[in-house]
Every structure is written in C-alpha cells, then in structure tokens.
Amino acid sequence: MTTPAKPDPVALHKALSEAWGTKPGLGQLAAVNHTSIGKRFMVTAAVFFVIGGLLAMLIRTQLATSRSPFMEEGTYAQVFTMHGTIMMFLFAIPMLEGAAIYLLPKMLGARDLAFPRLTAYGYWCYLFGGTMLLMALLFGVAPDSGWFMYTPLSSSTYSPGINADVWLLGVTFVEISALSAAVEIIVSILRLRAPGMSLERMPIFAWYMLVVAGMMLVGFPPLILGSILLEAERAFDLPFFDPTRGGDPLLWQHLFWLFGHPEVYIIFLPAAGMVSTFLPVFAGRPLAGYRAVVVSVISMGFISFGLWVHHMYTVGIPHLALGIFSAASALVTIPTAIQIFAWLATLAHGRPRLSIPMLYVFGFLFVFILGGLTGVMLAMVPFDWQAHDTHFVVAHLHYVLVGGFVFPLLAAAYYWLPHLTGRFPLPQLSKAAFWLIFIGFNVTFFIMHLTGLRGMPRRVHVYPQEPGMELFNLVSSLGSFVMTIGFALVLVDFVLQARFGRHAGRNPWKAGTLEWAMPTPPPSYNFASLPAIDARADQLDPDALGPQLAAGKGYLGFVRHGQMETLAVDPVSGRLEQIIVLPRSTFLPLLTALVTGVFFLLMLAKLYALAPLALLGVAGMFLLWTRATGAREDLPALDAGRGEQAPVHFQSRGAPSEWAMVLTLTANATLYASLLFGGLFLWVSAPGWPAEPTPFKTNVLLQVLALGALAGTLLASRRSLRAGAEGRIGWLAVLAASHLAAAVLFGLMALELVPFNTQHALFAVIFAVYFYAGFHSLLGVLFALYGVWRVLSGHVSAVRDLDLRIGARLHTYAACAGILAVVFVWQLLMLGSGGAPA
Amino acid sequence: MFHAVTAGALMVLGGCSGSYSALDPAGPHAQTIAQLWWVMLGGAAVLFVLVMVLFVLTLFRPGFGSGVSPRVWIVAGGLLMPIPVLVALTFYALFQGERLLPGRDDGGPVYRIEAHARQWQWEFRYLDEPGTPSTLDVLHIPAGLPVEVVATSADVIHSFWVPRLGGKIDATPGHAARIRIEADQAGQYGGVCAEYCGTGHSGMRFRVEAHEGADFRALADRGFAP
C-alpha cells in the first residue's frame, strides 16, 4: 500500500470532514462521534439537573412551614425519591461520563474513543431509561421508597404498584451506559493515546478517569445484581430479601452501599480531575506533586470500596467491626487532603490569575471542605447514631456532592465552554450567578445541620411546630430559592455566551494540554494529524502544535480509502502499535437500544414470557454490529505517517476489543461474586437458616454431566484457536454443542428447584446461580456459532483470529463460572441445610 | 449589627433546645455524644479556617508560601496535619462508643424493653415485667437507670430514636438490634421513627415518659394504666 500524498491543510480538512462527519437531519440519530455523543450526554444530564432541581424546589416549598398542605405524603415520597434518583443516576454520573467522553480523546491525542458505537448505544440507553423514569413521574407512578430503595418497603408486599419496578428496571437500563462508558474509558485511556505519551506523561485528568472508570467497572455490578434480585423477588417471588423465608433486608443494604459509597468518589474524582487540570493553568505553572496526586487518587479508589458499612452504623453490627469501617472512613480523608494541598502548593508557587473558574474553585473548596469535615464526624460511630437519617446527613451529602461535583463542574464549564462554542462568557453575569449560588447554597444547607441535630429525620413532610425547627426550615427554603435564581442565571449566561460571547480563538487560557491544539469548536475528527508526544502532556504548547497538526505534519495526516483511522499505543510506554479502523455512523446503536428498551418495557408490563424474545432480539442486533468490522484478506502493515508503519488492529494481539471483552468479564465476575457473597451472607446473617428440611434432593448425575460438558467447552475452545483452517469449524461446532449441553443441564437443575425456590432463600440463591451459569452457557453457544459464521464468511485466518480470541475469553469464563456454580451450590446446600448435602 | 448578632445567638441557642434535640441531652448517653459533637465542631472549625485562609493567601498574596517547597506543602498538609487528628479522633470515638454499648455498663442494673415497630405505630413491651400489657406510642422508663432497647419490626424497616436520651437503632424485620438510652430525671421526651417506612413515616412519633423510681414501680405494678 502506498502512502497517499500529503494534501494541503484545507484539502485535508475537507477529506477528513467527509470521512468523519455525521449527516445532518435524521442522520444525526446515527452519530457515533465522541464530540457529538459527549455533548448529548452533557445536555441531557443538564436537563435532568433542571428537573431534579425543580423537584427540590417542591420539597423546600413543602418544608417551608411545619404543616404545609402543599403535598400529601404519597406525592412527597415520589418527589424526594425522584429528586435523589435523578440527581445521582440521571445527572451526576451521565454528566461526568459526557465530560470524559468529550474531553478524553482530545486530551490524549486521539480522533475518537475506542468503541464509538458503544458510546452511542450507552447514550440511547441512558436517554430511554431516564425517559421511563420521567414518564412514571408524569403519570404519578414514580418510585416512592427513597432513592436507596430499602426493602422490605420496596418489596411487592409493601409496594404493590409498579413504582418500585420502574426504579429497578429504569435505573438498570441507565446503568448499561455507565458500564459501557467504564469499559470504553479504560480501553481508550490505556490504548488510544498519541504515540510517545507514556503512562507517566498522561494528562492528570486521564489518571483520574482511569481510576474512576475502574471503580465504575466493579462498583456498579453489586447494584445491578441487587436490582435483578429484588426485581426477581417482586416478579417471581424468589425470597432473597424476605426475612420470613430465609432472606434478609440487610443483604440489599450491603449490595446497595457496596455500590453507593464508591459512587460518591466516582462522582467526586472526575470533578477533582478537572480542577487538577485547569487550576495549574490559572496558577501559571504545572501541577505540583503530580505523582503524589496520582498515588492519592489510586488509593482513594481502593479505600472507597472499604467504607460502605458507614451507611449502616445503626443496623446493629458489632461495634468493633464498625470501628474498622470508621477508621477506613477517616483514612480516606488523607488522599483528599493530599490533593487539596497539591493545589495550594501549585497556587503558592505560581502566579495565580483570578477568573470565573477560580471563583468556582473557591466555592468548591469552601463547600467541599465543610462537607468533608462533617463526613469525618459522621464516620465516628457514636455521633452517627444521633445524626444518621436526619437532616444533618441531608446537609452533609449536599455539601459533599454539590461542593465536590457541582461547583467544580461549573468551574470546568466556564473553562471548557470556549472549547465547545469558541466563545467567552459574560464576566459580570457569571460573577453574579456564582454569588447567588454560593450564598443560596450555604443559607439552605448550613442551617440544615442544626435542623437535623435538632431532631428532624429525613423524608418527613410535616414536622413539630417548634419555634427553632420552623425558623430553620424557612431559612433553608428561602436560601434554596436564591440558589435556584443563581442556577437560572448560569443557564442564561451559557445561552448568551453561545450566541453573543466574544470569540475565544485557539487556546484562550494558555493551557498546556492537547485539547487546545485544535480549532474551536472542534472538528469531527479532532486532529488533522496526530501528535508525537515528547513531554508530559499538560506541558505542551498548543499554540505551536495546533498549526503543525492542522497542516498534516503528525501521524495519519491523510485519509485512506475514506476510512476513519486513529492510533493505538502500548499501554505503558506509549509506543505506536496499531492502526485502529473505526466504524462509521450507523443507526444500529439507536435500534439496539430501542430493542433493549422493549425488553425493559416488557418486564415493566409483567409480560415475562415475551421478555426473553426481546433479549434474543438484542443479541441479534449486536451480531449485526459485527458486519462492519474485520476484513476478508490479510493486510500488510499500514503507513502511519512520519515514516512509521503499524498493523491494523484486527491483525494485532491485544486489540482494543479483546481488552474490552476482558474488562466486561471483570465487571461480570464482580456481579457473580456479589451473588455468591449474597448466598454466604444470607447463611451468616438471615433469620430462618438453616432451612427447614424439604423433599428437595440434588441430582448428582446432572451435576456430573454438567461438569463434563463444561470441561468439553474448555477443550474445544482451546482447540478451535489452535486448529488450522480445516479444523476450526469442527471444533467450534463441538464447542457450541458442549455449551448447549451445559445450558440444558443447568436448565434442568434449575427446574428441579421449583417450587422450593419460592419457599426459602437458600433455594432461590441456588436457582439464581444455576440460572447465571446456564445463561452464560447460552452466551457460549452464541459466541461459538458466531465464530462459525465468521470462519465461513472468510473473516478468520491465522493472523485474523481476533473474533475467535474474543470468543475464547467468554468460553473460558462461562466454563469457570459453571464449574464454580456446581461447587458453590454443593457447599451452600451443606451449610444452608445444617449438615450433610440435602 | 448588634441586633443581628443577638438574633443569631438567640436563634442558635433556641435552636438547640426542644423536645427532640440531640443537642439538649437529658441523659448520660446523649450527653456523651453531644460532647463528642462539640469537640468535633471545634476541631472542624479550626481546620476549615486554616485551609481557607491558606487558599485565600495563595490566591491574593503572590509569593505567599513559595518559600516552602511543594513537597513540604503536600507532606505537611496532606499527611502531618490530618493523621494525628484522625487517629486521636477515631480512638476517642471508639472509646466513647464502647462505653455506650449494651453490656458494657459496669454490670449494674439495666431495665429492658422491646420496641416493636409496625406501619405506623410503636408497641413497647416490658421484658422485665412479665404479664404486663404493652403500651402503644408511649414508653415508660425508670429515670436514672440504663434502659436497653431491643428494636424489632413486624413489617418494614423503622428506626427507634429518642434524641435527648441517646442514639438511634434500626428495627429491621428478622433482626433484633440493641441500644441503650437513659434519662437522668423524670420527664417527657420526644421520639421519632428515623428510617423512611412509608406514607405514615412523618407521623410515627412516640413519647418517652421517665418516672422516678417509686413512681415507676407503682405505675408498672398497675400495668402502666394511668
């Protein structure tokens, strides 16, 4: 293949725009470009923020007086549940995903993320899931058990309507976007960087997002598992959480907070990462203590998974055990303090410039530090016994989340909006808006600490007519309206900026990161050619680099066969490794998300017999995605520009998609581990264990046969990879048959548990474990047959075996999960029936 | 200005008292926790002012702190300052928590009751008075004696909380969690359900009536009839 001649910048821009652009009109629904999708995430999240904020206004209106007739308690319950749910799941998480999706490729020197169609699919899942929740609110059937959905209140006995189902299904639908973003972000940060950008040259924001995405990958599965189990209890009467049948409400609390606490850091860290990115720009010097910050962020990621019990100090866990979580909760202050002092050191050693973003940084530190200090107070067990579930906690969590996310996010918005719009905001309006928000926020929430200690529990819609309490609540309500006016002004400011702001030009803040080495607003392809990085990527010179890249002097400064190409590097050294050919705009993500939505709607409508058909439809849609990938012939190494060559990704070891499979299975394994943990937890904690003797007998023959079939899949999967062209199909067929046999056997074993699985949680857990194993064997069948199809259609050769290698990861996982299922069930039966296997 | 300060002080002082106020303790358990709170509030105020002053100085006084190397900034502020504070506080709180626990009260007499919650009512059972009927939404306790509360639930999760007498404890169906409360003197104290338990949550309040020893005995002996 010959190197195309280097065109002039204008022709290059036209050719790249032709290849990367999305068609206007309906064609926009097919967009997969990270700039478009990132903006959609952020705008949608902002809309949800407005809705969540209006709900908060309703709450403050109700609480302004002690016996307000404004809302009756059922409506109030829906309002406060939806306020929390929207702010957490539909505003904060999607907003940070959107910011990361928009910024990361630009900061890392790539033209897009690793899996553009997955980004788009995640967006549609978020939009549709969020719409489901909003519709429920409009029709008055919104979730009403509080945003952490404690069961038994959320069980079918005490919440018989569809309200709780809307939460469980809607939020799970939305979380598809969180998991897909997590995979996407990890692979993109580790692989899709500009050549020369080694790990230690990464911009600090990429480090933060790498940790955050890793936390999302293992933080969300416990919640998703909990939601599945609770929905299964509501829909099929499997008593995982029912204390009268061997279940335990505390299992839900553990699963929820195992997610819920890391969630706080998942929200805070991206915001802190943005501060670490732009604060040095305004200090006029690089971030002090880059390494210390990286280490502190990583340690925060780990510690945050050891704190969840501090939401459960009042459930009756032994005090010394609480002591460990109390100490861990105090410990997490240290990495936070390290970051704050790294920022102070940066300012002390620089020449700080005052600006709107720095004004918000002041607001951020003021509010967030107060939230952190009350957090340390709440980490102390005796104090929490008083403050837990009161308005003190409401105040604390708003100080942490608004301080730790909204203030830095607004700072970031003022910093990066010139990038999105190419214009500056209006400084007078921006300042007025800041002070209204800052004063309004503190008036609302500072006094609320006292309201809580004064004895006002959370989630009450009326309270005693005592002078102190009435005055405090009135002050909070007044403050909240001031804050709302501030947010409205910010919105006006943004709209005015987009229309009338003065032009910002390239790199208006004199930053040193790559996202400024492009025209603003950014073109669809980001960089006309990709940079070679020889310094830390927050100390570059975008003013010099930008024109060079625009002139096509970097890597890939050309369009090859109209393809969308970017580069992959070695994750550690940043050495050029692969040329990634990205898929084009397509309606498939939208259509697949629609079919996914049909599944959730069928579940919501309780049409359980039809729901598996929708899942089959989703699988079919995903198979269609693969038609655009790979090639039918082996390609030689391709020209990467700057005199270097690299193989195309589907002929490389460790292609991004293989990494994605490994990461997806990691998330999946976390979900499975949570299920097995759940079974053991019930044995330890739930009332009604060991189970009463039942006539249930395990069928050892089926178990042994299943183990045999699983061993068969392991063997066939290995052989299919090693076999030459002639043997592949045969081994893949054996593989599919073994998976099918295993699936059928797990299905039979699960059927034998009926009806015991509704009588005691022991059998419900075993049923779930068998279901999980059987489901993965079915996935194995799908992947084996997919392999056959790819071989038959000529997409597989000795060097083009990516499809088979991705499959092999799943086959191995399914076999291990199945074997573990059999062993675990054997153990749990022995423990749960008080002695020998039943 | 003077009026504003007076009004503010009155507001805060008035705000601390009240029949549900954890900051107006009426027994040793609530007293211990209130003391922990005032200590932490003082410490938090000092730390907050310190960090904010440093931030404002670095921002508005060019050159401030530039004599101290970034490494020293980070080590001093990120490690040396918080670690001793956190260690001391964690152990102090752990020690206080141990003192408040059931079974750690020097083996003296304890009065035991069960707080059995259901939507949306509290039923108090007197475990040390066999045959005595339970009371609804009113809990009678002897003053000056530690009371061990066993919280149970008939339906969803509730939480037993009498702010002036001690901390709260969840009433989880299938579980029986314990906490101790104590009133120094006879009197009435407000109690609430602290865990959201459905549409009657706001109204799920109760009253604790503490009586001096002889009065309490007489009352208990006539089955808590008025």
Side-chain angles (χ1 to χ4, degrees):
Chain A
M1 198 165 293
T2 55
T3 308
K6 288 229 166 88
D8 70 288
V10 178
L12 179 59
H13 168 72
K14 279 190 176 156
L16 282 163
S17 298
E18 178 75 19
W20 289 80
T22 307
K23 288 193 178 64
L26 273 185
Q28 282 294 318
L29 296 177
V32 295
N33 183 280
H34 77 105
T35 299
S36 309
I37 305 291
K39 283 197 279 196
R40 282 176 200 182
F41 260 106
M42 291 189 281
V43 169
T44 312
V47 170
F48 278 115
F49 178 74
V50 171
I51 297 169
L54 291 175
L55 291 176
M57 289 299 94
L58 298 182
I59 295 175
R60 280 320 322 169
T61 306
Q62 172 70 27
L63 295 182
T65 56
S66 61
R67 298 239 166 268
S68 169
F70 178 56
M71 275 187 274
E72 50 91 28
E73 54 264 70
T75 314
Y76 185 72
Q78 292 193 21
V79 168
F80 72 69
T81 302
M82 284 299 286
H83 167 69
T85 303
I86 287 178
M87 288 308 197
M88 285 291 187
F89 296 104
L90 304 179
F91 160 63
I93 298 276
M95 181 60 91
L96 72 91
E97 285 166 12
I101 287 168
Y102 179 88
L103 284 175
L104 278 173
K106 300 180 177 76
M107 286 184 156
L108 295 171
R111 282 180 176 151
D112 208 324
L113 292 163
F115 312 107
R117 294 179 303 183
L118 188 66
T119 328
Y121 173 67
Y123 172 74
W124 295 118
C125 286
Y126 158 50
L127 182 67
F128 297 155
T131 308
M132 256 170 76
L133 283 157
L134 277 193
M135 285 295 141
L137 188 62
L138 281 183
F139 290 108
V141 289
D144 55 2
S145 323
W147 82 272
F148 33 82
M149 291 294 285
Y150 273 6
T151 184
L153 184 60
S154 57
S155 68
S156 51
T157 313
Y158 300 103
S159 294
I162 67 162
N163 311 52
D165 302 301
V166 169
W167 193 96
L168 295 167
L169 296 166
V171 168
T172 303
F173 194 9
V174 171
E175 289 335 322
I176 293 177
S177 72
L179 276 183
S180 59
V183 170
E184 171 95 281
I185 288 170
I186 296 175
V187 176
S188 300
I189 291 176
L190 287 179
R191 306 308 308 272
L192 266 63
R193 306 198 296 263
M197 192 190 287
S198 58
L199 269 191
E200 63 261 38
R201 284 181 185 160
M202 284 206 308
I204 193 73
F205 183 66
W207 274 110
Y208 274 93
M209 283 315 302
L210 184 60
V211 172
V212 168
M215 292 169 68
M216 287 166 75
L217 195 69
V218 292
F220 277 96
L223 172 69
I224 293 174
L225 175 84
S227 302
I228 293 173
L229 295 187
L230 186 49
E231 184 56 31
E233 178 177 298
R234 293 178 55 87
F236 309 115
D237 202 26
L238 301 178
F240 299 105
F241 306 105
D242 181 353
T244 63
R245 290 180 287 165
D248 194 342
L250 295 184
L251 174 60
W252 170 264
Q253 299 192 15
H254 281 288
L255 290 173
F256 188 89
W257 293 117
L258 204 48
F259 146 81
H261 202 79
E263 150 102 341
V264 175
Y265 295 88
I266 288 171
I267 291 173
F268 166 66
L269 283 174
M274 294 181 192
V275 172
S276 285
T277 302
F278 63 69
L279 182 136
V281 174
F282 293 109
R285 59 149 287 154
L287 178 66
Y290 174 90
R291 276 163 189 275
V293 171
V294 169
V295 171
S296 74
V297 172
I298 294 172
S299 58
M300 241 175 153
F302 280 101
I303 299 171
S304 72
F305 281 90
L307 310 182
W308 81 95
V309 172
H310 78 209
H311 298 265
M312 300 171 64
Y313 282 167
T314 61
V315 304
I317 295 170
H319 182 246
L320 280 178
L322 294 183
I324 295 168
F325 289 97
S326 173
S329 308
L331 189 67
V332 78
T333 316
I334 292 168
T336 318
I338 288 177
Q339 287 169 67
I340 290 174
F341 278 85
W343 296 329
L344 291 181
T346 309
L347 291 173
H349 283 263
R351 298 187 163 277
R353 270 186 288 166
L354 295 181
S355 60
I356 301 298
M358 286 308 285
L359 196 56
Y360 276 97
V361 168
F362 160 74
F364 154 57
L365 286 176
F366 187 99
V367 174
F368 180 71
I369 289 174
L370 282 176
L373 290 166
T374 55
V376 173
M377 295 178 186
L378 287 169
M380 299 303 130
V381 179
F383 179 68
D384 186 73
W385 286 338
Q386 283 286 25
H388 181 72
D389 266 336
T390 68
H391 271 69
F392 187 92
V393 172
V394 179
H396 158 73
L397 76 91
H398 283 88
Y399 266 86
V400 169
L401 291 171
V402 177
F405 188 69
V406 177
F407 277 98
L409 187 80
L410 285 172
Y414 279 104
Y415 177 73
W416 274 298
L417 268 174
H419 193 283
L420 275 101
T421 62
R423 292 168 189 269
F424 276 123
L426 313 170
Q428 297 317 319
L429 191 56
S430 312
K431 273 185 208 162
F434 167 81
W435 287 110
L436 283 173
I437 294 175
F438 180 78
I439 293 168
F441 175 87
N442 284 294
V443 170
T444 307
F445 290 104
F446 193 79
I447 195 108
M448 204 182 276
H449 294 106
L450 209 48
T451 317
L453 293 177
R454 190 57 194 61
M456 183 156 160
R458 286 172 91 163
R459 298 169 176 178
V460 291
H461 72 300
V462 292
Y463 49 89
Q465 285 169 297
E466 292 186 358
M469 213 178 263
E470 290 195 296
L471 183 60
F472 293 178
N473 274 296
L474 185 61
V475 169
S476 285
S477 294
L478 292 176
S480 73
F481 282 84
V482 175
M483 177 168 48
T484 307
I485 295 168
F487 280 118
L489 274 191
V490 168
L491 197 65
V492 172
D493 195 14
F494 288 173
V495 172
L496 290 179
Q497 167 187 22
R499 289 300 305 277
F500 307 112
R502 75 190 154 82
H503 285 278
R506 195 197 295 276
N507 197 13
W509 307 110
K510 298 300 157 211
T513 39
L514 273 176
E515 80 273 24
W516 298 105
M518 63 180 67
T520 53
S524 54
Y525 52 84
N526 285 352
F527 302 97
S529 63
L530 303 181
I533 302 297
D534 53 8
R536 207 168 84 193
D538 57 2
Q539 295 169 38
L540 303 171
D541 182 4
D543 296 299
L545 204 52
Q548 287 175 19
L549 298 179
K553 289 181 183 160
Y555 292 98
L556 294 180
F558 47 78
V559 178
R560 185 175 5 230
H561 311 313
Q563 291 181 150
M564 292 153 62
E565 295 179 342
T566 191
L567 297 175
V569 297
D570 175 75
V572 178
S573 69
R575 187 169 35 80
L576 172 62
E577 270 196 350
Q578 305 167 17
I579 290 177
I580 310 276
V581 181
L582 289 171
R584 304 186 153 283
S585 303
T586 160
F587 289 102
L588 278 174
L590 172 61
L591 297 174
T592 313
L594 281 172
V595 180
T596 315
V598 170
F599 168 76
F600 283 101
L601 285 177
L602 288 172
M603 289 296 294
L604 197 58
K606 304 188 193 296
L607 299 169
Y608 302 123
L610 295 177
L613 291 179
L615 274 192
L616 217 56
V618 174
M621 296 302 292
F622 274 115
L623 283 179
L624 290 180
W625 289 37
T626 63
R627 291 199 307 180
T629 63
R632 287 194 164 82
E633 54 176 9
D634 294 350
L635 303 177
L638 302 177
D639 180 26
R642 294 176 56 98
E644 292 186 47
Q645 291 193 321
V648 68
H649 71 276
F650 50 79
Q651 289 179 198
S652 309
R653 297 280 136 173
S657 41
E658 199 174 349
W659 280 56
M661 183 49 128
V662 172
L663 292 171
T664 308
L665 291 177
T666 306
N668 194 345
T670 315
L671 182 119
Y672 191 32
S674 306
L675 174 61
L676 303 186
F677 157 81
L680 292 175
F681 175 82
L682 289 181
W683 166 59
V684 174
S685 163
W689 283 60
E692 299 284 317
T694 59
F696 173 73
K697 288 265 177 287
T698 25
N699 193 330
V700 180
L701 177 67
L702 290 182
Q703 289 187 331
V704 171
L705 285 175
L707 288 176
L710 293 167
T713 63
L714 276 178
L715 176 79
S717 169
R718 275 169 186 278
R719 287 296 171 86
S720 69
L721 269 187
R722 295 199 186 135
E726 59 291 340
R728 271 190 207 114
I729 301 263
W731 281 113
L732 285 170
V734 174
L735 181 57
S738 319
H739 273 308
L740 189 61
V744 170
L745 288 164
F746 278 121
L748 289 175
M749 291 194 278
L751 277 181
E752 285 190 337
L753 285 158
V754 180
F756 306 106
N757 57 354
T758 57
Q759 289 167 6
H760 195 276
L762 167 66
F763 302 109
V765 169
I766 295 175
F767 185 82
V769 170
Y770 281 154
F771 182 87
Y772 181 90
F775 181 77
H776 280 77
S777 295
L778 277 182
L779 275 183
V781 175
L782 191 71
F783 272 75
L785 292 178
Y786 168 68
V788 172
W789 177 38
R790 294 295 274 186
V791 173
L792 287 177
S793 60
H795 283 90
V796 177
S797 77
V799 288
R800 279 178 288 117
D801 60 350
L802 178 60
D803 291 309
L804 299 190
R805 277 187 288 121
I806 291 175
R809 304 275 188 183
L810 180 96
H811 298 310
T812 310
Y813 180 80
C816 295
I819 292 167
L820 187 58
V822 174
V823 174
F824 177 83
V825 165
W826 193 75
Q827 280 293 328
L828 192 69
L829 270 175
M830 198 167 74
L831 298 169
S833 50
Chain B
M1 183 64 196
F2 175 75
H3 289 291
V5 171
T6 323
L10 279 178
M11 191 168 116
V12 171
L13 288 176
C16 288
S17 63
S19 54
Y20 298 93
S21 179
L23 300 179
D24 185 13
H29 294 75
Q31 177 65 47
T32 305
I33 299 176
Q35 186 188 327
L36 177 63
W37 150 253
W38 292 115
V39 170
M40 291 195 297
L41 181 65
V46 171
L47 290 175
F48 173 73
V49 170
L50 176 71
V51 178
M52 287 316 293
V53 165
L54 287 177
F55 175 72
V56 170
L57 286 178
T58 56
L59 204 56
F60 289 100
R61 287 267 182 88
F64 170 83
S66 57
V68 179
S69 78
R71 177 184 294 264
V72 173
W73 266 99
I74 292 170
V75 170
L79 298 174
L80 296 182
M81 183 180 74
I83 288 177
V85 175
L86 292 170
V87 169
L89 180 59
T90 305
F91 277 98
Y92 172 61
L94 190 69
F95 172 71
Q96 297 286 30
E98 283 291 301
R99 279 185 45 201
L100 299 179
L101 281 175
R104 305 290 165 100
D105 267 23
D106 63 28
V110 172
Y111 192 75
R112 297 182 310 127
I113 62 113
E114 177 183 353
H116 187 68
R118 71 173 66 87
Q119 287 177 328
W120 291 279
Q121 193 173 53
W122 291 95
E123 180 186 343
F124 298 106
R125 299 170 180 162
Y126 298 85
L127 304 177
D128 289 340
E129 316 278 348
T132 304
S134 55
T135 53
L136 292 178
D137 291 336
V138 179
L139 169 63
H140 298 280
I141 60 168
L145 194 66
V147 176
E148 181 168 315
V149 180
V150 183
T152 58
S153 169
D155 40 46
V156 304
I157 302 175
H158 306 270
S159 192
F160 173 94
W161 187 33
V162 188
R164 296 190 63 202
L165 303 184
K168 64 178 71 65
I169 191 75
D170 290 358
T172 310
H175 292 268
R178 286 150 205 278
I179 199 165
R180 286 199 175 183
I181 59 171
E182 184 174 342
D184 286 332
Q185 291 174 346
Q188 299 204 350
Y189 308 97
V192 297
C193 172
E195 181 64 59
Y196 184 68
C197 57
T199 47
H201 172 59
S202 307
M204 198 170 155
R205 294 176 176 272
F206 59 96
R207 192 172 73 238
V208 177
E209 292 188 6
H211 311 274
E212 296 301 344
D215 297 350
F216 180 79
R217 186 62 6 239
L219 191 66
D221 288 344
R222 48 172 206 273
F224 298 109

